[in-house]
Amino acid sequence: MTAAPDVSAAPGQVPVAHGLAAPPAPWRLLLRKPTFLIGALILLFWIACAIFGRAIAPHDPLAQDLLATNSPPSGAHPFGVDSIGRDVLSRVIVGARDILLIAPLATLLGTVLGTVLGLAMGYFGGIVDTLVGRVVEAVLALPVVIVAFLFIVAVGPSPLTLIVVVGFIFTPLIARTVRTAVLVEGQQDYLASARLLGERPGYIMFAEILPNVFPVIVVEFTVRLGYAIFAVATLSFLGFGVQQPTPDWGGDIAANYVLLGAGYWWETLFAALAIASLVMALNLVTDAIEQVISS
Amino acid sequence: MTDQGAAEESPHGVPAGPGGPSLQKAPRGRPAEPAEPAPRGFPGGRPPGPAEPTLDVANLDVTYRVRGQNRPAIRNVSFQIGNRESYGLVGESGSGKSTVALALTRYLPRNGLVTSGSVSIAGRDVLALSGSALRALRARTVSMVYQEPGRALNPSIRAGRQIAEVFEIAGLDRQTSTDRAEDMLRKVQIPDPGQVMNRYPHQLSGGMAQRVIIAMALAAEPSLLILDEPTTALDATVEAEVLDLVAGLRADMATSVLFISHNLAVIAKMCDRVGVLYAGELVEEGPASVVFDQPSHPYTVGLLRCIPRRGQRKDHGRLDAIPGFQPAPGQDITGCIYADRCALVIDECRTSPPPPFGIGPDHSARCFRHEEAEGLPRSTPADASLPAPPNADDPIVTLRGLSTTYKNAGSELKALSGIDLTIMRGETLGLVGESGSGKTTLARALLGLVVPDPGSVLEFDGSPLPADLRRRPRQLLRAVQIVFQNPDSALNRRHSVRRLISRPLSRLAGLSGSRLAERLADLVRSVRLEQRHLSLRPGQLSGGLKQRVAIARAFGGGPRLVVCDEPTSALDVSVQAAILNLLADLQAKEQVTYLFISHDLGVVRYLSDRIAVLYLGRLMEVGPAETVFAGPHHPYTEALLSAVPSLDGQRRERIRLAGEIPSAATPPSGCVFHTRCPRKLSTGVCETTEPPLAEVEPGHLMSCHIPVEELRRLQETPR
């Protein structure tokens, strides 16, 4: 086989060989990371609780067994019973529902708004950047909890109010991160290429730049989600979030923590552990995603 | 290690014959000749006698471990550098040049491993050294200079302190060290060294920083100096100065040099002997003059043919590009590593790796058919369709008084100043100049990406061209397009090739449906991509393929003027040849006009009909390509031409520019070039009056106070 290359090719013909091998898909790399797997497992557990809570829970989380008030963990009530006779385990399981609905939606709202603002600031620059930037700085300078209080008091507490309030609080933070990422992309020649094709700003921002800053946005979303869980739990704890008697981790801690001194630790501890495990799981997942994206 | 005996027997060359453990078979065909003893009149001028080599690399194998798999990067590389010798290692990206340099000083990254072979520097076995001995070796015996001068200096320590540290480590006291550092700066010809001592690295220009680094590298008087692409990031005139400096220092100091570069001409100028590295193997080795004049490996032959030389122009025929690609790292190769791309391949090449065959004194090549290598058949036919010769007086673009000022935080930088230039229909206008000369600004102003100062006149095809891109109608948008320097930046990495090429077809050419698909297929064929590339993303393509996508994109709308902004400077030589051929073919087919920007004069000469030379935002010279190259030249053009190292034997009389390129923020008075002009008039007119761009010959314009006849006389008389 004296395979001499085809010398009689067309003028200037260069046999074009295969492209380079495709890099492995990001999700494949994720699945190889133990931190991601552990985090995702805990997360999935809480998502299952949020969806099927009522079916999984051994007792009705609202039912009061007044004869068993403040009874410690036992076979019938593995996490014990609270001060008004409700099963703590059932309340922890069902309590995942509202927080896992409110926190992601609030984060999503903040991410969408923040992304749009960040893209506009980074792409247009100049006066748009200055004006929006000042507003963003002003919002960042306000004491967050007080503003949230005022808003919730004015509108009245409800899951929707929580979503909007937390979403708005996150918007400027996310906008700032996205703006920085857009400014880095702004150095690239593909934006000049797009302008030379007469593309409109909307197309350039959303079809050209957005896909390239998407990894940054994904990481920002997951980081913010952890904070959102804290924020929602805190507001509920302070009485401005999910209202009793609806099972909720923050609300349940608020209702029972005064009894810690009396030794009724189970009424507070398990709800607190639930919050901690959820935030930790999210951080594990975020870390893994960040590593995969930056590698 | 089995090679040790052979190496000692023939101290003047690579061990000819079976090279090491991986080559069990005795070479068939022509038997390996033992290297001749002590070559007479050898051009390298190495000292006679069986002196121990400064660097001895034997059968070096280096592997990178990537995702659990071993990828060999260097295979069985052996070479030696004698005392005071300068050895060049040349190869394209991915050939393993830098890996060799890192392995020599044990600076390989964590996943890099020397799997076999030995390295000895000044008699010490580097691979066996302990931590402290290795530090001592790096401190005193070997020094390295890298490509990016800006990254090799600590930004928070003054230049003088950084050099003095080298002496302090050697045990001198602080005051003596500082004095010696100043001496070193004087040695590397830095004007006013006392002042430079106190500067921070960001206050130094690129050329100055590289000199400081060279000063640091030579401070310890090392036995071996490794230069890894030391001038690649520098401008031509600065590069010439740094190369002269290294050559001069080498004559004074007892230092051997390993010079690594992708630039064959630089290696030819700087080195006594040269090794050609391909995919981790040393395919050819020998005296630089011999290897470049009578190459004996088909790869070396192919590489040399890729470079436009001896005034070759597009109407003389196409360049001979090397077909195919360098094998991916880690690929299993049983026979010759170059077999897949070689036009001389025979069965034997596929089954057994060729050993180094001795060819002449100190010259060897790993090729069974080394005797026929120089007659390598062309892989690209020489003849090609030519564009209709451009009409000499039919301008498609007219620029009058084009000025551009960048304003930043109150300070102004005049990037272009009163440019008058026409581009003729169907021609290629080459735009030449060093960094900061305003080449890219001129291109961007033409494209509408930068808005020029009021008063600037831009005309396209006889009618005014709106300065702002957003004011240009679709017809003008599609008429002027660009191929950027770096395809990684110019192509959206999240879009598929299909989307990238289709978009101009729908946006500019207004195509859709089956007509778009037809034109897309046509376009893909004419830039020599394949259908299956369409579904890939840019990240999955090699550099050359990416640039083809960028070219297809520029041609999608049916442009009449394409700006090529250094389209090949990010590419390897063999890929560059294919892209230059493609640009020439497309021009012939589409009757398009090019504004071709490049710092590579050989490339500009190959492609251009006319040439414009920019310096500090002003036109120095404009004229037909052959006239500009033949002279009489503007003194700046003359300096540029003599700064570029050439592979062709004839060395022109060098004129060297003194000092640095002035900042465009504070341009010199009068003629902006007078601060560096070696032919400045003594009357003082150059300092006070800016010379007009005047026609000195038909079609040849120059901005110089010296009468053209005087220039002709000066440039013809050897100095």
Side-chain angles (χ1 to χ4, degrees), chain B residues 9 178 245 278 326 409 440 595 635 646 670:
Chain B
E9 277 163 32
T178 310
L245 171 71
Y278 176 77
Q326 194 167 244
T440 300
L595 174 62
S646 161

Side-chain angles (χ1 to χ4, degrees), chain B residues 45-289:
Chain B
R46 278 183 298 147
E52 188 177 28
T54 305
L55 173 71
D56 187 351
V57 178
N59 309 118
L60 186 71
D61 277 335
V62 177
T63 288
Y64 286 112
R65 202 164 168 79
V66 181
R67 293 213 180 91
Q69 283 176 324
N70 285 330
R71 294 193 174 158
I74 296 296
R75 295 183 184 87
N76 196 22
V77 164
S78 304
F79 66 96
Q80 295 171 313
I81 304 179
N83 186 21
R84 283 172 169 263
E85 189 186 28
S86 166
Y87 187 95
L89 210 48
V90 64
E92 296 184 278
S93 52
S95 61
K97 315 184 282 296
S98 294
T99 299
V100 170
L102 294 172
L104 297 186
T105 43
R106 283 181 51 193
Y107 271 126
L108 282 172
R110 253 166 215 275
N111 65 335
L113 188 71
V114 175
T115 46
S116 71
S118 68
V119 175
S120 85
I121 296 176
R124 260 173 299 174
D125 181 357
V126 175
L127 301 179
L129 291 180
S130 66
S132 60
L134 184 63
R135 265 201 305 282
L137 177 96
R138 288 170 180 167
R140 294 192 194 99
T141 319
V142 199
S143 292
M144 285 189 86
V145 173
Y146 298 98
Q147 176 171 348
E148 287 283 335
R151 291 166 63 175
L153 292 171
N154 185 332
S156 61
I157 302 178
R158 292 176 200 273
R161 204 78 275 295
Q162 298 198 43
I163 305 171
E165 270 180 358
V166 180
F167 294 109
E168 279 172 38
I169 288 167
L172 298 179
D173 66 66
R174 199 168 172 123
Q175 188 51 49
T176 325
S177 297
T178 310
D179 295 345
R180 295 281 291 274
E182 203 168 325
D183 286 347
M184 265 334 280
L185 283 180
R186 213 161 280 128
K187 226 171 196 166
V188 295
Q189 296 163 21
I190 282 184
D192 198 0
Q195 205 217 353
V196 170
M197 291 281 284
N198 285 323
R199 286 203 206 156
Y200 286 102
H202 73 268
Q203 295 168 312
L204 303 172
S205 68
M208 200 104 93
Q210 197 63 300
R211 276 175 215 228
V212 169
I213 292 163
I214 291 171
M216 279 171 73
L218 291 175
E221 301 202 11
S223 351
L224 178 66
L225 174 65
I226 300 174
L227 299 155
D228 189 354
E229 305 262 11
T231 56
T232 306
L234 305 177
D235 273 315
T237 55
V238 182
E239 171 180 64
E241 275 189 283
V242 172
L243 291 182
D244 284 353
L245 171 71
V246 172
L249 289 172
R250 210 162 69 77
D252 296 348
M253 302 180 107
T255 296
S256 306
V257 173
L258 174 60
F259 200 107
I260 295 173
S261 180
H262 70 286
N263 188 329
L264 281 75
V266 167
I267 294 275
K269 175 182 148 76
M270 296 300 294
C271 299
D272 308 324
R273 281 195 309 138
V274 57
V276 180
L277 208 56
Y278 176 77
E281 271 188 26
L282 209 54
V283 294
E284 182 164 1
E285 190 188 44
S289 54

Side-chain angles (χ1 to χ4, degrees), chain A residues 20 185 189 198-199 207 212, chain B residues 489 492-493 495 503 507 540:
Chain A
L20 311 180
E185 286 299 311
D189 288 333
E199 305 285 12
N212 286 298
Chain B
S489 165
N492 193 326
R493 56 193 182 277
H495 290 181
R503 195 75 194 169
R507 291 285 312 172
Q540 292 163 268

Side-chain angles (χ1 to χ4, degrees), chain A residues 1-24 29 32 185 187-200 203 207-209 211-215 295, chain B residues 67 321-325 342-343 345-347 350 378-381 444 447-449 469 477 481-482 484 488-495 499 503-504 507-508 528 530 532-533 539-542 545 548 553 578 585:
Chain A
M1 180 198 81
T2 36
D6 186 9
V7 187
S8 60
Q13 177 92 45
V14 175
V16 173
H18 347 280
L20 311 180
L29 290 175
R32 284 188 209 157
E185 286 299 311
Q187 315 288 325
Q188 305 275 329
D189 288 333
Y190 70 82
L191 295 181
S193 291
R195 291 182 58 203
L196 285 168
L197 297 186
E199 305 285 12
R200 277 182 267 280
Y203 179 88
E208 299 271 358
I209 302 177
N212 286 298
V213 297
F214 200 71
S295 72
Chain B
R67 293 213 180 91
I322 302 178
F325 290 93
C342 184
V345 69
I346 51 174
D347 286 351
R350 306 231 183 238
R378 283 184 68 95
S379 59
T380 320
R444 290 188 163 251
L447 289 159
L449 293 168
L469 190 62
L477 279 181
Q481 287 291 326
I482 183 170
F484 284 105
D488 288 318
S489 165
L491 302 176
N492 193 326
R493 56 193 182 277
R494 297 275 162 179
H495 290 181
R499 182 170 179 185
R503 195 75 194 169
R507 291 285 312 172
L508 296 179
R528 285 161 215 130
E530 290 173 19
R532 61 190 174 76
H533 291 131
Q540 292 163 268
L541 300 175
S542 67
L545 292 182
R548 285 166 198 271
R553 199 175 149 85
D585 287 346

